[in-house]
Amino acid sequence: MLKHKTKQLLVWFILFSLLPVAYSQVVFNDALFNFMRSKYQNSAVERTRNWQQLITSNTNQSIEDQLFETNRFFNNIEFKSDQAHWGKKDYWATPLEFLGTNAGDCEDFTIAKYVTLLELGVPDAKLRLMYVTATRPTRQAHMVLAYYETPTSVPLVLDNINKRILPASKRRDLIPVYSFNGEGLWLAKAQGRGRQMQSGNNNKLWLDVLNRMKEGF
């Protein structure tokens, strides 16, 4: 199953043209909160307001605080597989879908953290959504968020399995496969960026979630 999913994920990186990541700031207003209330429930509004507070409170904080608070906030959400949650084999949720349903899988955790850090002003060039093979407790395909302080830094790993933020060199349970962001796709390695494969990221599910976020998250 792992080999099939990895092969499928790599195939998704063809046939689609570049769609840059250009997030405008999330507009937290009555229309958004009313939408969350009508589509989900009142508790979803509270979670969305808490997300707003996270961004507001940490915009001018140190990168250490931004990483910690972002990782902590989203790791309180329940893990649930796409099949159990959405009735689909693979579905990438927007941050509002993730908060609205209060559940998601590893891609949803990673996307929400990535978007939040962009909102906090962290440069896209320092972030990678990284596919790995997690070896514990069982061998499985997994996604984490990697933060690079400099182009040659060992990245810090934000994860929903091991909730401590650790350097990739200390995550021996993760085997990097590839990583991506708005700038491109990289064959990944544990202690660096890896080799860039192409200038633009063409993952079908990634493009789909970006389009939904552009339409209002």
Side-chain angles (χ1 to χ4, degrees):
M1 181 177 178
L2 176 61
K3 289 183 179 179
H4 172 75
K5 186 169 184 179
T6 300
K7 180 179 180 181
Q8 183 182 48
L9 289 167
L10 290 173
V11 169
W12 280 331
F13 279 91
I14 62 175
L15 302 179
F16 295 89
S17 60
L18 172 64
L19 180 63
V21 176
Y23 297 106
S24 59
Q25 289 194 348
V26 182
V27 179
F28 294 98
N29 55 22
D30 288 343
L32 174 61
F33 297 128
N34 289 336
F35 167 77
M36 294 298 287
R37 183 178 294 105
S38 63
K39 186 168 184 178
Y40 304 105
Q41 53 189 354
N42 287 333
S43 60
V45 176
E46 181 180 358
R47 288 189 293 273
T48 306
R49 291 190 185 278
N50 290 339
W51 185 36
Q52 177 186 22
Q53 183 62 39
L54 167 70
I55 294 170
T56 301
S57 299
N58 289 280
T59 297
N60 297 316
Q61 299 302 313
S62 67
I63 185 62
E64 291 81 7
D65 287 342
Q66 291 177 337
L67 294 175
F68 176 82
E69 293 298 337
T70 297
N71 196 54
R72 180 191 60 80
F73 179 81
F74 287 107
N75 281 348
N76 286 321
I77 295 177
E78 178 187 0
F79 176 88
K80 187 176 290 187
S81 71
D82 286 334
Q83 193 63 54
H85 193 39
W86 300 103
K88 297 181 180 181
K89 187 174 182 180
D90 210 358
Y91 181 81
W92 291 14
T94 69
L96 286 185
E97 290 174 320
F98 187 41
L99 288 169
T101 59
N102 201 30
D105 70 355
C106 60
E107 289 94 351
D108 305 330
F109 284 91
T110 302
I111 290 168
K113 294 172 186 179
Y114 174 69
V115 171
T116 299
L117 289 170
L118 290 178
E119 292 289 336
L120 288 170
V122 178
D124 186 46
K126 294 189 174 188
L127 300 171
R128 296 282 183 274
L129 296 89
M130 183 175 288
Y131 259 107
V132 299
T133 299
T135 60
R136 295 194 300 267
T138 58
R139 193 175 179 88
Q140 60 182 311
H142 184 49
M143 183 186 275
V144 298
L145 183 63
Y147 168 78
Y148 295 80
E149 179 59 34
T150 72
T152 58
S153 296
V154 175
L156 296 175
V157 176
L158 284 70
D159 185 13
N160 65 288
I161 293 179
N162 184 336
K163 298 184 179 183
R164 297 175 59 200
I165 299 177
L166 296 171
S169 56
K170 293 187 177 181
R171 293 298 308 273
R172 300 301 185 184
D173 57 318
L174 303 180
I175 303 172
V177 180
Y178 65 88
S179 61
F180 64 95
N181 65 0
E183 295 185 341
L185 169 66
W186 285 260
L187 284 175
K189 57 183 180 180
Q191 298 188 24
R193 291 179 179 274
R195 177 171 62 85
Q196 187 169 9
M197 295 174 62
Q198 60 189 56
S199 60
N201 169 35
N202 300 320
N203 184 301
K204 181 179 179 181
L205 292 176
W206 182 231
L207 298 182
D208 179 57
V209 75
L210 289 179
N211 280 326
R212 282 184 281 122
M213 284 191 285
K214 287 173 67 177
E215 293 170 359
F217 282 65

mmCIF file of all heavy atoms in Angstrom, residues 1-16 82-83 88-92 107 131 141 177-178 185 202-206:
data_model
loop_
_atom_site.group_PDB
_atom_site.id
_atom_site.type_symbol
_atom_site.label_atom_id
_atom_site.label_comp_id
_atom_site.label_asym_id
_atom_site.label_seq_id
_atom_site.Cartn_x
_atom_site.Cartn_y
_atom_site.Cartn_z
ATOM 1 N N MET A 1 0.834 -1.212 0.000
ATOM 2 C CA MET A 1 0.000 0.000 0.000
ATOM 3 C C MET A 1 0.865 1.258 0.000
ATOM 4 O O MET A 1 0.578 2.237 -0.669
ATOM 5 C CB MET A 1 -0.925 -0.014 1.214
ATOM 6 C CG MET A 1 -1.856 1.198 1.289
ATOM 7 S SD MET A 1 -2.975 1.075 2.697
ATOM 8 C CE MET A 1 -3.844 2.623 2.541
ATOM 9 N N LEU A 2 1.962 1.212 0.792
ATOM 10 C CA LEU A 2 2.860 2.358 0.855
ATOM 11 C C LEU A 2 3.478 2.629 -0.503
ATOM 12 O O LEU A 2 3.539 3.777 -0.957
ATOM 13 C CB LEU A 2 3.956 2.099 1.891
ATOM 14 C CG LEU A 2 5.037 3.175 2.014
ATOM 15 C CD1 LEU A 2 4.418 4.497 2.436
ATOM 16 C CD2 LEU A 2 6.098 2.743 3.021
ATOM 17 N N LYS A 3 3.933 1.561 -1.200
ATOM 18 C CA LYS A 3 4.533 1.743 -2.519
ATOM 19 C C LYS A 3 3.520 2.316 -3.499
ATOM 20 O O LYS A 3 3.843 3.176 -4.318
ATOM 21 C CB LYS A 3 5.072 0.403 -3.033
ATOM 22 C CG LYS A 3 6.306 -0.086 -2.289
ATOM 23 C CD LYS A 3 6.807 -1.377 -2.904
ATOM 24 C CE LYS A 3 8.068 -1.871 -2.196
ATOM 25 N NZ LYS A 3 8.551 -3.137 -2.774
ATOM 26 N N HIS A 4 2.278 1.837 -3.419
ATOM 27 C CA HIS A 4 1.233 2.326 -4.317
ATOM 28 C C HIS A 4 0.960 3.801 -4.083
ATOM 29 O O HIS A 4 0.869 4.584 -5.033
ATOM 30 C CB HIS A 4 -0.055 1.532 -4.101
ATOM 31 C CG HIS A 4 -1.231 2.095 -4.840
ATOM 32 N ND1 HIS A 4 -1.397 1.962 -6.201
ATOM 33 C CD2 HIS A 4 -2.299 2.829 -4.388
ATOM 34 C CE1 HIS A 4 -2.505 2.570 -6.572
ATOM 35 N NE2 HIS A 4 -3.068 3.108 -5.500
ATOM 36 N N LYS A 5 0.847 4.212 -2.819
ATOM 37 C CA LYS A 5 0.550 5.608 -2.518
ATOM 38 C C LYS A 5 1.696 6.512 -2.928
ATOM 39 O O LYS A 5 1.480 7.588 -3.492
ATOM 40 C CB LYS A 5 0.256 5.786 -1.022
ATOM 41 C CG LYS A 5 -0.200 7.208 -0.688
ATOM 42 C CD LYS A 5 -0.738 7.305 0.716
ATOM 43 C CE LYS A 5 -1.287 8.707 0.987
ATOM 44 N NZ LYS A 5 -1.844 8.848 2.328
ATOM 45 N N THR A 6 2.950 6.078 -2.680
ATOM 46 C CA THR A 6 4.104 6.890 -3.078
ATOM 47 C C THR A 6 4.148 7.055 -4.576
ATOM 48 O O THR A 6 4.381 8.157 -5.088
ATOM 49 C CB THR A 6 5.403 6.227 -2.575
ATOM 50 O OG1 THR A 6 5.351 6.117 -1.154
ATOM 51 C CG2 THR A 6 6.605 7.061 -2.969
ATOM 52 N N LYS A 7 3.906 5.976 -5.315
ATOM 53 C CA LYS A 7 3.896 6.053 -6.767
ATOM 54 C C LYS A 7 2.794 6.978 -7.245
ATOM 55 O O LYS A 7 2.990 7.810 -8.143
ATOM 56 C CB LYS A 7 3.694 4.654 -7.365
ATOM 57 C CG LYS A 7 3.678 4.657 -8.891
ATOM 58 C CD LYS A 7 3.506 3.238 -9.417
ATOM 59 C CE LYS A 7 3.479 3.235 -10.946
ATOM 60 N NZ LYS A 7 3.280 1.871 -11.480
ATOM 61 N N GLN A 8 1.614 6.877 -6.633
ATOM 62 C CA GLN A 8 0.485 7.714 -7.015
ATOM 63 C C GLN A 8 0.788 9.180 -6.760
ATOM 64 O O GLN A 8 0.500 10.046 -7.592
ATOM 65 C CB GLN A 8 -0.751 7.287 -6.238
ATOM 66 C CG GLN A 8 -2.013 8.062 -6.612
ATOM 67 C CD GLN A 8 -3.194 7.638 -5.770
ATOM 68 O OE1 GLN A 8 -3.088 7.554 -4.556
ATOM 69 N NE2 GLN A 8 -4.319 7.382 -6.407
ATOM 70 N N LEU A 9 1.396 9.473 -5.612
ATOM 71 C CA LEU A 9 1.727 10.852 -5.280
ATOM 72 C C LEU A 9 2.712 11.440 -6.268
ATOM 73 O O LEU A 9 2.602 12.595 -6.662
ATOM 74 C CB LEU A 9 2.302 10.919 -3.861
ATOM 75 C CG LEU A 9 1.291 10.666 -2.745
ATOM 76 C CD1 LEU A 9 2.017 10.433 -1.431
ATOM 77 C CD2 LEU A 9 0.326 11.821 -2.619
ATOM 78 N N LEU A 10 3.688 10.651 -6.715
ATOM 79 C CA LEU A 10 4.666 11.147 -7.675
ATOM 80 C C LEU A 10 4.035 11.389 -9.038
ATOM 81 O O LEU A 10 4.379 12.341 -9.732
ATOM 82 C CB LEU A 10 5.825 10.149 -7.796
ATOM 83 C CG LEU A 10 6.731 10.054 -6.562
ATOM 84 C CD1 LEU A 10 7.738 8.913 -6.725
ATOM 85 C CD2 LEU A 10 7.465 11.362 -6.321
ATOM 86 N N VAL A 11 3.095 10.537 -9.415
ATOM 87 C CA VAL A 11 2.403 10.730 -10.694
ATOM 88 C C VAL A 11 1.631 12.032 -10.721
ATOM 89 O O VAL A 11 1.519 12.706 -11.738
ATOM 90 C CB VAL A 11 1.461 9.535 -10.975
ATOM 91 C CG1 VAL A 11 0.535 9.843 -12.149
ATOM 92 C CG2 VAL A 11 2.275 8.286 -11.263
ATOM 93 N N TRP A 12 1.095 12.443 -9.548
ATOM 94 C CA TRP A 12 0.314 13.681 -9.475
ATOM 95 C C TRP A 12 1.143 14.915 -9.795
ATOM 96 O O TRP A 12 0.603 15.987 -10.010
ATOM 97 C CB TRP A 12 -0.305 13.834 -8.093
ATOM 98 C CG TRP A 12 -1.525 13.014 -7.916
ATOM 99 C CD1 TRP A 12 -2.418 12.626 -8.864
ATOM 100 C CD2 TRP A 12 -2.011 12.457 -6.692
ATOM 101 N NE1 TRP A 12 -3.412 11.865 -8.326
ATOM 102 C CE2 TRP A 12 -3.195 11.741 -6.995
ATOM 103 C CE3 TRP A 12 -1.567 12.485 -5.376
ATOM 104 C CZ2 TRP A 12 -3.927 11.081 -6.032
ATOM 105 C CZ3 TRP A 12 -2.300 11.822 -4.413
ATOM 106 C CH2 TRP A 12 -3.461 11.130 -4.741
ATOM 107 N N PHE A 13 2.464 14.795 -9.814
ATOM 108 C CA PHE A 13 3.321 15.941 -10.064
ATOM 109 C C PHE A 13 3.566 16.180 -11.554
ATOM 110 O O PHE A 13 4.518 16.861 -11.920
ATOM 111 C CB PHE A 13 4.662 15.773 -9.347
ATOM 112 C CG PHE A 13 4.587 16.151 -7.913
ATOM 113 C CD1 PHE A 13 4.275 15.210 -6.959
ATOM 114 C CD2 PHE A 13 4.795 17.446 -7.498
ATOM 115 C CE1 PHE A 13 4.195 15.554 -5.621
ATOM 116 C CE2 PHE A 13 4.716 17.797 -6.155
ATOM 117 C CZ PHE A 13 4.417 16.846 -5.234
ATOM 118 N N ILE A 14 2.727 15.625 -12.434
ATOM 119 C CA ILE A 14 2.837 15.885 -13.861
ATOM 120 C C ILE A 14 1.488 16.383 -14.373
ATOM 121 O O ILE A 14 0.480 16.310 -13.685
ATOM 122 C CB ILE A 14 3.266 14.619 -14.646
ATOM 123 C CG1 ILE A 14 2.217 13.500 -14.495
ATOM 124 C CG2 ILE A 14 4.612 14.146 -14.178
ATOM 125 C CD1 ILE A 14 2.526 12.283 -15.340
ATOM 126 N N LEU A 15 1.466 16.911 -15.569
ATOM 127 C CA LEU A 15 0.266 17.289 -16.310
ATOM 128 C C LEU A 15 -0.412 18.567 -15.833
ATOM 129 O O LEU A 15 -1.406 18.980 -16.415
ATOM 130 C CB LEU A 15 -0.787 16.155 -16.307
ATOM 131 C CG LEU A 15 -0.332 14.814 -16.896
ATOM 132 C CD1 LEU A 15 -1.450 13.806 -16.791
ATOM 133 C CD2 LEU A 15 0.119 14.955 -18.331
ATOM 134 N N PHE A 16 0.089 19.231 -14.796
ATOM 135 C CA PHE A 16 -0.549 20.436 -14.295
ATOM 136 C C PHE A 16 0.429 21.595 -14.331
ATOM 137 O O PHE A 16 1.585 21.455 -13.958
ATOM 138 C CB PHE A 16 -1.070 20.216 -12.872
ATOM 139 C CG PHE A 16 -2.160 19.193 -12.827
ATOM 140 C CD1 PHE A 16 -1.849 17.855 -12.669
ATOM 141 C CD2 PHE A 16 -3.492 19.567 -12.979
ATOM 142 C CE1 PHE A 16 -2.851 16.901 -12.650
ATOM 143 C CE2 PHE A 16 -4.491 18.622 -12.955
ATOM 144 C CZ PHE A 16 -4.184 17.279 -12.796
ATOM 145 N N ASP A 82 -8.761 9.973 5.978
ATOM 146 C CA ASP A 82 -9.642 10.544 4.960
ATOM 147 C C ASP A 82 -10.843 9.642 4.695
ATOM 148 O O ASP A 82 -11.960 10.125 4.483
ATOM 149 C CB ASP A 82 -8.872 10.767 3.647
ATOM 150 C CG ASP A 82 -7.930 11.952 3.735
ATOM 151 O OD1 ASP A 82 -8.192 12.865 4.535
ATOM 152 O OD2 ASP A 82 -6.935 11.972 2.992
ATOM 153 N N GLN A 83 -10.613 8.336 4.682
ATOM 154 C CA GLN A 83 -11.713 7.423 4.411
ATOM 155 C C GLN A 83 -12.782 7.517 5.486
ATOM 156 O O GLN A 83 -13.986 7.573 5.192
ATOM 157 C CB GLN A 83 -11.194 5.984 4.310
ATOM 158 C CG GLN A 83 -12.198 5.000 3.730
ATOM 159 C CD GLN A 83 -12.588 5.327 2.295
ATOM 160 O OE1 GLN A 83 -11.725 5.459 1.427
ATOM 161 N NE2 GLN A 83 -13.878 5.461 2.042
ATOM 162 N N LYS A 88 -13.373 9.363 1.402
ATOM 163 C CA LYS A 88 -12.516 9.360 0.216
ATOM 164 C C LYS A 88 -11.169 8.770 0.576
ATOM 165 O O LYS A 88 -10.717 8.860 1.720
ATOM 166 C CB LYS A 88 -12.322 10.785 -0.319
ATOM 167 C CG LYS A 88 -13.593 11.457 -0.785
ATOM 168 C CD LYS A 88 -13.293 12.858 -1.326
ATOM 169 C CE LYS A 88 -14.558 13.543 -1.804
ATOM 170 N NZ LYS A 88 -14.272 14.889 -2.363
ATOM 171 N N LYS A 89 -10.504 8.199 -0.426
ATOM 172 C CA LYS A 89 -9.198 7.607 -0.191
ATOM 173 C C LYS A 89 -8.177 8.676 0.154
ATOM 174 O O LYS A 89 -7.299 8.460 1.009
ATOM 175 C CB LYS A 89 -8.755 6.829 -1.434
ATOM 176 C CG LYS A 89 -7.478 6.037 -1.242
ATOM 177 C CD LYS A 89 -7.192 5.184 -2.462
ATOM 178 C CE LYS A 89 -5.936 4.348 -2.252
ATOM 179 N NZ LYS A 89 -5.650 3.502 -3.444
ATOM 180 N N ASP A 90 -8.263 9.829 -0.482
ATOM 181 C CA ASP A 90 -7.322 10.910 -0.202
ATOM 182 C C ASP A 90 -8.000 12.246 -0.458
ATOM 183 O O ASP A 90 -8.555 12.475 -1.535
ATOM 184 C CB ASP A 90 -6.079 10.780 -1.088
ATOM 185 C CG ASP A 90 -4.830 11.339 -0.422
ATOM 186 O OD1 ASP A 90 -4.941 11.860 0.708
ATOM 187 O OD2 ASP A 90 -3.739 11.248 -1.020
ATOM 188 N N TYR A 91 -7.980 13.118 0.539
ATOM 189 C CA TYR A 91 -8.583 14.444 0.434
ATOM 190 C C TYR A 91 -7.758 15.405 1.270
ATOM 191 O O TYR A 91 -7.479 15.133 2.444
ATOM 192 C CB TYR A 91 -10.028 14.425 0.935
ATOM 193 C CG TYR A 91 -10.725 15.765 0.833
ATOM 194 C CD1 TYR A 91 -11.276 16.178 -0.376
ATOM 195 C CD2 TYR A 91 -10.832 16.607 1.940
ATOM 196 C CE1 TYR A 91 -11.908 17.413 -0.485
ATOM 197 C CE2 TYR A 91 -11.473 17.832 1.845
ATOM 198 C CZ TYR A 91 -12.006 18.228 0.628
ATOM 199 O OH TYR A 91 -12.629 19.455 0.542
ATOM 200 N N TRP A 92 -7.355 16.522 0.668
ATOM 201 C CA TRP A 92 -6.599 17.533 1.387
ATOM 202 C C TRP A 92 -7.542 18.661 1.769
ATOM 203 O O TRP A 92 -8.104 19.332 0.907
ATOM 204 C CB TRP A 92 -5.456 18.064 0.534
ATOM 205 C CG TRP A 92 -4.368 17.043 0.302
ATOM 206 C CD1 TRP A 92 -4.432 15.699 0.534
ATOM 207 C CD2 TRP A 92 -3.061 17.305 -0.208
ATOM 208 N NE1 TRP A 92 -3.253 15.097 0.200
ATOM 209 C CE2 TRP A 92 -2.390 16.060 -0.264
ATOM 210 C CE3 TRP A 92 -2.407 18.449 -0.627
ATOM 211 C CZ2 TRP A 92 -1.081 15.951 -0.717
ATOM 212 C CZ3 TRP A 92 -1.105 18.334 -1.091
ATOM 213 C CH2 TRP A 92 -0.444 17.102 -1.122
ATOM 214 N N GLU A 107 -1.817 15.301 6.205
ATOM 215 C CA GLU A 107 -1.744 16.392 5.233
ATOM 216 C C GLU A 107 -2.488 17.624 5.723
ATOM 217 O O GLU A 107 -2.038 18.752 5.523
ATOM 218 C CB GLU A 107 -2.315 15.948 3.879
ATOM 219 C CG GLU A 107 -1.465 14.944 3.121
ATOM 220 C CD GLU A 107 -1.885 13.510 3.389
ATOM 221 O OE1 GLU A 107 -2.717 13.290 4.297
ATOM 222 O OE2 GLU A 107 -1.373 12.609 2.710
ATOM 223 N N TYR A 131 6.897 14.931 2.392
ATOM 224 C CA TYR A 131 6.448 13.549 2.465
ATOM 225 C C TYR A 131 7.583 12.696 2.994
ATOM 226 O O TYR A 131 8.726 12.826 2.561
ATOM 227 C CB TYR A 131 5.991 13.042 1.101
ATOM 228 C CG TYR A 131 4.493 13.064 0.991
ATOM 229 C CD1 TYR A 131 3.846 14.009 0.200
ATOM 230 C CD2 TYR A 131 3.712 12.147 1.684
ATOM 231 C CE1 TYR A 131 2.472 14.052 0.117
ATOM 232 C CE2 TYR A 131 2.337 12.177 1.610
ATOM 233 C CZ TYR A 131 1.719 13.129 0.823
ATOM 234 O OH TYR A 131 0.362 13.167 0.754
ATOM 235 N N ALA A 141 3.140 5.963 4.932
ATOM 236 C CA ALA A 141 3.355 7.258 4.299
ATOM 237 C C ALA A 141 2.836 8.336 5.237
ATOM 238 O O ALA A 141 1.793 8.185 5.876
ATOM 239 C CB ALA A 141 2.628 7.320 2.955
ATOM 240 N N VAL A 177 11.155 11.521 1.642
ATOM 241 C CA VAL A 177 10.919 11.080 0.273
ATOM 242 C C VAL A 177 11.031 12.270 -0.679
ATOM 243 O O VAL A 177 11.885 12.299 -1.556
ATOM 244 C CB VAL A 177 9.541 10.402 0.127
ATOM 245 C CG1 VAL A 177 9.308 9.949 -1.307
ATOM 246 C CG2 VAL A 177 9.425 9.224 1.102
ATOM 247 N N TYR A 178 10.171 13.257 -0.522
ATOM 248 C CA TYR A 178 10.269 14.500 -1.272
ATOM 249 C C TYR A 178 9.527 15.586 -0.531
ATOM 250 O O TYR A 178 8.750 15.330 0.375
ATOM 251 C CB TYR A 178 9.755 14.354 -2.714
ATOM 252 C CG TYR A 178 8.283 14.049 -2.845
ATOM 253 C CD1 TYR A 178 7.331 15.059 -2.892
ATOM 254 C CD2 TYR A 178 7.834 12.727 -2.965
ATOM 255 C CE1 TYR A 178 5.985 14.777 -3.021
ATOM 256 C CE2 TYR A 178 6.491 12.437 -3.099
ATOM 257 C CZ TYR A 178 5.575 13.462 -3.132
ATOM 258 O OH TYR A 178 4.238 13.179 -3.261
ATOM 259 N N LEU A 185 9.496 21.469 -6.274
ATOM 260 C CA LEU A 185 9.483 20.109 -5.751
ATOM 261 C C LEU A 185 10.924 19.655 -5.578
ATOM 262 O O LEU A 185 11.750 19.832 -6.456
ATOM 263 C CB LEU A 185 8.747 19.189 -6.720
ATOM 264 C CG LEU A 185 8.831 17.685 -6.491
ATOM 265 C CD1 LEU A 185 8.142 17.314 -5.195
ATOM 266 C CD2 LEU A 185 8.197 16.953 -7.661
ATOM 267 N N ASN A 202 3.356 20.796 -8.963
ATOM 268 C CA ASN A 202 2.217 20.435 -9.799
ATOM 269 C C ASN A 202 1.359 19.327 -9.215
ATOM 270 O O ASN A 202 0.723 18.574 -9.929
ATOM 271 C CB ASN A 202 2.728 19.997 -11.183
ATOM 272 C CG ASN A 202 3.500 21.096 -11.863
ATOM 273 O OD1 ASN A 202 3.116 22.247 -11.783
ATOM 274 N ND2 ASN A 202 4.599 20.756 -12.503
ATOM 275 N N ASN A 203 1.332 19.219 -7.927
ATOM 276 C CA ASN A 203 0.525 18.177 -7.305
ATOM 277 C C ASN A 203 -0.951 18.498 -7.452
ATOM 278 O O ASN A 203 -1.403 19.572 -7.069
ATOM 279 C CB ASN A 203 0.908 18.091 -5.822
ATOM 280 C CG ASN A 203 0.210 16.974 -5.106
ATOM 281 O OD1 ASN A 203 -1.004 16.927 -5.057
ATOM 282 N ND2 ASN A 203 0.984 16.082 -4.527
ATOM 283 N N LYS A 204 -1.719 17.561 -7.985
ATOM 284 C CA LYS A 204 -3.134 17.793 -8.262
ATOM 285 C C LYS A 204 -3.911 18.145 -6.998
ATOM 286 O O LYS A 204 -4.710 19.089 -6.992
ATOM 287 C CB LYS A 204 -3.752 16.555 -8.917
ATOM 288 C CG LYS A 204 -5.224 16.733 -9.261
ATOM 289 C CD LYS A 204 -5.789 15.490 -9.923
ATOM 290 C CE LYS A 204 -7.265 15.678 -10.238
ATOM 291 N NZ LYS A 204 -7.845 14.472 -10.868
ATOM 292 N N LEU A 205 -3.678 17.412 -5.915
ATOM 293 C CA LEU A 205 -4.389 17.701 -4.675
ATOM 294 C C LEU A 205 -3.960 19.041 -4.101
ATOM 295 O O LEU A 205 -4.768 19.753 -3.493
ATOM 296 C CB LEU A 205 -4.148 16.584 -3.657
ATOM 297 C CG LEU A 205 -4.779 15.230 -3.995
ATOM 298 C CD1 LEU A 205 -4.392 14.187 -2.962
ATOM 299 C CD2 LEU A 205 -6.292 15.356 -4.093
ATOM 300 N N TRP A 206 -2.691 19.391 -4.271
ATOM 301 C CA TRP A 206 -2.189 20.684 -3.802
ATOM 302 C C TRP A 206 -2.857 21.819 -4.571
ATOM 303 O O TRP A 206 -3.301 22.809 -3.995
ATOM 304 C CB TRP A 206 -0.678 20.711 -3.952
ATOM 305 C CG TRP A 206 0.031 21.938 -3.478
ATOM 306 C CD1 TRP A 206 0.939 22.667 -4.187
ATOM 307 C CD2 TRP A 206 -0.058 22.572 -2.200
ATOM 308 N NE1 TRP A 206 1.419 23.714 -3.432
ATOM 309 C CE2 TRP A 206 0.817 23.676 -2.203
ATOM 310 C CE3 TRP A 206 -0.803 22.317 -1.054
ATOM 311 C CZ2 TRP A 206 0.966 24.524 -1.108
ATOM 312 C CZ3 TRP A 206 -0.650 23.159 0.041
ATOM 313 C CH2 TRP A 206 0.225 24.242 0.006
#
